[in-house]
Amino acid sequence: MSQSQNNAQPLFGGVEAGGTRFICVLADSRGFIKARTEIPTSSPDTTLAAVRDFFLQSAPAFGQLAALGVVSFGPLDLDRRSPTYGYITKTSRPAWSQIDLIGYFKRSLNILVELETEVNGSAVGEFTEGAGLDCENFVYVTVGTGIGAGIFAGGKLMQGISHPEVGHMMVPQAMDDHFDSCCPFHTHCLEGLASGTAIHKRWQTHPKHLPPDHLAWDIEAYYLAVMCVNLTWMYAPEKIIFGGGVMSRDFLYPKIRANLKHMLNGYAHDVVLKDMNSYIIPTVLGGNAGITGALSLARRAYLEARNS
Amino acid sequence: MSQSQNNAQPLFGGVEAGGTRFICVLADSRGFIKARTEIPTSSPDTTLAAVRDFFLQSAPAFGQLAALGVVSFGPLDLDRRSPTYGYITKTSRPAWSQIDLIGYFKRSLNILVELETEVNGSAVGEFTEGAGLDCENFVYVTVGTGIGAGIFAGGKLMQGISHPEVGHMMVPQAMDDHFDSCCPFHTHCLEGLASGTAIHKRWQTHPKHLPPDHLAWDIEAYYLAVMCVNLTWMYAPEKIIFGGGVMSRDFLYPKIRANLKHMLNGYAHDVVLKDMNSYIIPTVLGGNAGITGALSLARRAYLEARNS
């Protein structure tokens, strides 16, 4: 107990790096927020220096910064054996390509740094404090301008040589849908048919203007149910948790569940069939999932280093 | 060295439990086969007792049986927290439903027992001695009367609340294909459209009678390429290794690679695009993958117990 009283109390930093802003949070070991700021995303030099300065200036009053968790737009190199591990790689924001995120914060703050994709970060957030609490096997899917997923299997983020990109899976076209995939690369592409961008292009209006009884949502629910079928068989999760702008429309959930039930036709794991209402669920943390995950990553890095 | 000379040399048993026969192998710690037998699959009592007797009779001449690896037809309960962990659950062979495989061998041989599905066992075999050697992230797919896959991610078999069943993924129908899925439950079902059973039903002849230039193989290559697209994005493997009866037709591989290249259209991980010939590959172990995996499971169980 004495340790938590003195100035060397370990503090944890979380950064959510987005295309328009960087959210930065300083928290103590129990998760209480000590300081928070938002920094507009401009050039890498300016933005990263402002993030660094926030932690340098805010931490000393409360303790000592022990570790930083960063969840970031990508693509990221997350292969620990790679020479460019921790870099943003080729991104659509040219100034941010080949930026060494982990290296920058390690050097300038002299601390442990963990990095994950935005969607993996949100999955970590849901796992530690949200809809995936105490659930070792689940999928967190975000449906917004794009579609992405973070997968927990056996209590850990599942990863191959790179993070999964479920948005690119090929799916059967819906019967009533004559829209071509808006993905510039792939036909039959989930993201090209069911992302917010696809809905916008198909109906020539922002999804938020489409009423609940519009055909748009029947088509959307069909594609998201196909995705759930494939996630179910590929990862055998206990839950599929949805986040992202499109999924803020509550009426989508019963539609997805009804489609999924129809498609599975009585054949699936018991956990799926017995209670669809607890299988297909919305995020608990909403817009805070990413920054919550970033703080969790920092705490975990600190504990692992201390125990190793 | 002296240890390998005495009678207490640890021996490892492998069992591949199939619908028509059980293959049993006894090996030393370096993998050399000391004894082998095949037992026809009849009633559980008779078959399991014959397997037990094989190990009881063959082991003493060479050392002491230390652990047994079993790869089996399923479905299996592989959830270690479940009261029926290690059981064959509801199977299409009624006499074999609710049979406690792990319990039977633990009790009758008094040793460590590890259990996996047939396809996971084959994946373990390819990982330790086959096409997945030294590869931490790969998918092993078998295309025979059904379609199944074992997934290695980070050097371990990937599993949620159950093993993956990729054969049930939903895929877009091929343009030239007017066949309804032969899966009794699911439309747009990979296994219902692309298994050996599906080929047989679609063309009313056994796949082995279909010549290489038959339309059947263009359709088959299309579905297997769609599957590879989805496996690529869901698991980010370094390799996709194929086994099973259908995949013994060599001419399928270039067809699958050509379809996959077309579908990915230049957008995928470098490892996929740079050398399709080492990304889509056949099994090295063939029909021995399962029993090789069973022996690996036994060795691993022994080493983990010794080191813990």
Side-chain angles (χ1 to χ4, degrees):
Chain A
M1 298 302 284
S2 64
Q3 195 187 3
S4 64
Q5 306 291 328
N6 71 30
N7 265 343
Q9 182 188 190
L11 299 172
F12 301 101
V15 175
E16 184 176 356
T20 56
R21 59 183 185 166
F22 276 49
I23 303 172
C24 306
V25 161
L26 179 76
D28 67 17
S29 58
R30 290 175 300 172
F32 290 114
I33 305 297
K34 299 299 187 183
R36 186 185 191 282
T37 195
E38 295 190 11
I39 293 158
T41 307
S42 56
S43 74
D45 282 356
T46 309
T47 313
L48 296 180
V51 173
R52 175 200 64 198
D53 290 347
F54 163 75
F55 289 109
L56 287 177
Q57 287 157 18
S58 62
F62 304 101
Q64 187 170 3
L65 192 62
L68 185 70
V70 182
V71 305
S72 174
F73 63 83
L76 305 173
D77 183 346
L78 295 176
D79 179 352
R80 287 176 195 268
R81 297 164 302 183
S82 162
T84 53
Y85 170 65
Y87 280 56
I88 299 176
T89 58
K90 274 174 277 180
T91 170
S92 51
R93 303 169 183 89
W96 284 87
S97 288
Q98 303 304 327
I99 295 294
D100 179 10
L101 277 182
I102 287 186
Y104 181 87
F105 291 118
K106 273 197 170 163
R107 281 192 298 272
S108 64
L109 294 168
N110 194 28
I111 51 168
L112 294 166
V113 182
E114 277 292 317
L115 176 68
E116 272 297 347
T117 62
E118 277 172 310
V119 70
N120 273 356
S122 296
V124 170
E126 296 288 346
F127 178 65
T128 45
E129 297 186 34
L133 194 66
D134 294 330
C135 178
E136 294 215 318
N137 307 289
F138 70 89
V139 180
Y140 172 84
V141 188
T142 175
V143 186
T145 52
I147 297 179
I151 292 93
F152 267 82
K156 293 198 167 153
L157 279 172
M158 186 262 153
Q159 177 157 313
I161 49 165
S162 178
H163 48 87
E165 295 186 55
V166 310
H168 295 295
M169 76 168 81
M170 289 177 76
V171 294
Q173 192 98 0
M175 289 264 265
D176 302 323
D177 187 20
H178 309 289
F179 177 72
D180 283 334
S181 161
C182 71
C183 171
F185 295 99
H186 306 136
T187 59
H188 295 287
C189 170
L190 175 68
E191 187 168 284
L193 291 165
S195 63
T197 311
I199 302 172
H200 197 141
K201 287 207 178 158
R202 184 186 284 110
W203 303 104
Q204 296 290 312
T205 184
H206 192 283
K208 71 184 173 193
H209 301 310
L210 294 165
D213 60 355
H214 196 284
L215 174 63
W217 301 117
D218 293 321
I219 291 175
E220 182 67 8
Y222 168 85
Y223 286 122
L224 296 180
V226 170
M227 178 191 74
C228 289
V229 168
N230 289 0
L231 296 175
T232 296
W233 295 120
M234 305 287 253
Y235 302 122
E238 293 165 66
K239 291 174 185 178
I240 299 176
I241 304 167
F242 279 95
V246 170
M247 299 309 299
S248 64
R249 307 294 293 268
D250 291 341
F251 58 81
L252 268 174
Y253 292 87
K255 278 182 193 283
I256 294 169
R257 293 183 193 119
N259 273 273
L260 178 58
K261 192 174 174 189
H262 177 73
M263 289 169 187
L264 290 172
N265 193 23
Y267 184 86
H269 308 121
D270 287 346
V271 71
V272 181
L273 298 174
K274 84 176 174 217
D275 183 5
M276 206 63 94
N277 291 334
S278 44
Y279 188 63
I280 302 294
I281 57 174
T283 168
V284 163
L285 300 175
N288 289 321
I291 196 72
T292 304
L295 282 173
S296 298
L297 290 169
R299 274 199 302 274
R300 196 179 61 188
Y302 171 76
L303 291 172
E304 281 179 1
R306 204 185 55 174
N307 296 337
S308 72
Chain B
M1 297 300 283
S2 66
Q3 193 188 4
S4 64
Q5 306 292 324
N6 72 30
N7 265 343
Q9 183 190 187
L11 298 173
F12 301 101
V15 175
E16 184 176 356
T20 55
R21 58 182 186 167
F22 277 50
I23 303 171
C24 306
V25 161
L26 179 76
D28 68 14
S29 57
R30 290 175 301 173
F32 289 114
I33 305 298
K34 300 297 185 184
R36 186 183 191 283
T37 194
E38 295 190 12
I39 293 159
T41 307
S42 56
S43 75
D45 282 354
T46 310
T47 313
L48 297 180
V51 172
R52 175 201 62 198
D53 291 346
F54 164 75
F55 289 110
L56 287 178
Q57 288 158 17
S58 63
F62 304 102
Q64 186 170 1
L65 191 63
L68 185 70
V70 182
V71 306
S72 175
F73 64 84
L76 304 173
D77 184 346
L78 295 175
D79 179 352
R80 286 175 195 267
R81 297 165 302 183
S82 162
T84 54
Y85 168 66
Y87 279 56
I88 298 177
T89 58
K90 273 174 278 179
T91 170
S92 51
R93 302 170 183 88
W96 284 88
S97 287
Q98 303 303 326
I99 294 295
D100 179 9
L101 278 182
I102 287 186
Y104 181 87
F105 291 117
K106 273 198 170 159
R107 281 191 298 272
S108 64
L109 294 168
N110 194 28
I111 50 168
L112 294 166
V113 182
E114 277 292 316
L115 176 68
E116 272 298 346
T117 63
E118 277 171 310
V119 68
N120 274 356
S122 297
V124 170
E126 296 289 346
F127 178 65
T128 45
E129 297 186 35
L133 194 66
D134 293 332
C135 177
E136 295 216 317
N137 307 289
F138 70 90
V139 180
Y140 171 84
V141 189
T142 176
V143 186
T145 52
I147 296 179
I151 292 94
F152 267 83
K156 296 202 167 148
L157 279 172
M158 187 262 153
Q159 177 156 314
I161 49 166
S162 178
H163 48 88
E165 295 186 54
V166 311
H168 295 296
M169 76 168 81
M170 289 177 76
V171 294
Q173 191 98 359
M175 287 265 265
D176 302 322
D177 187 21
H178 308 289
F179 177 72
D180 282 334
S181 161
C182 70
C183 172
F185 296 100
H186 306 136
T187 59
H188 295 288
C189 170
L190 176 68
E191 188 168 284
L193 291 164
S195 63
T197 311
I199 301 173
H200 198 142
K201 288 208 177 162
R202 184 186 284 112
W203 303 104
Q204 295 292 310
T205 185
H206 193 283
K208 71 184 171 191
H209 301 309
L210 294 164
D213 61 353
H214 195 286
L215 174 63
W217 300 118
D218 294 321
I219 291 175
E220 183 67 8
Y222 168 84
Y223 287 122
L224 296 180
V226 170
M227 178 192 74
C228 289
V229 168
N230 289 2
L231 296 175
T232 296
W233 295 120
M234 305 286 252
Y235 302 121
E238 292 163 67
K239 291 174 184 177
I240 300 175
I241 303 166
F242 279 96
V246 170
M247 298 311 298
S248 64
R249 307 295 293 268
D250 291 343
F251 58 80
L252 267 174
Y253 292 86
K255 278 183 193 283
I256 295 170
R257 293 183 191 119
N259 272 275
L260 179 58
K261 191 174 176 189
H262 177 73
M263 288 168 187
L264 290 172
N265 194 23
Y267 184 86
H269 309 122
D270 287 347
V271 73
V272 182
L273 298 175
K274 85 175 171 220
D275 183 6
M276 206 64 91
N277 291 335
S278 43
Y279 187 62
I280 302 293
I281 57 175
T283 168
V284 163
L285 300 176
N288 290 321
I291 196 72
T292 305
L295 282 173
S296 299
L297 291 168
R299 274 198 302 275
R300 195 179 64 186
Y302 171 75
L303 292 173
E304 281 178 1
R306 204 185 56 175
N307 296 337
S308 71

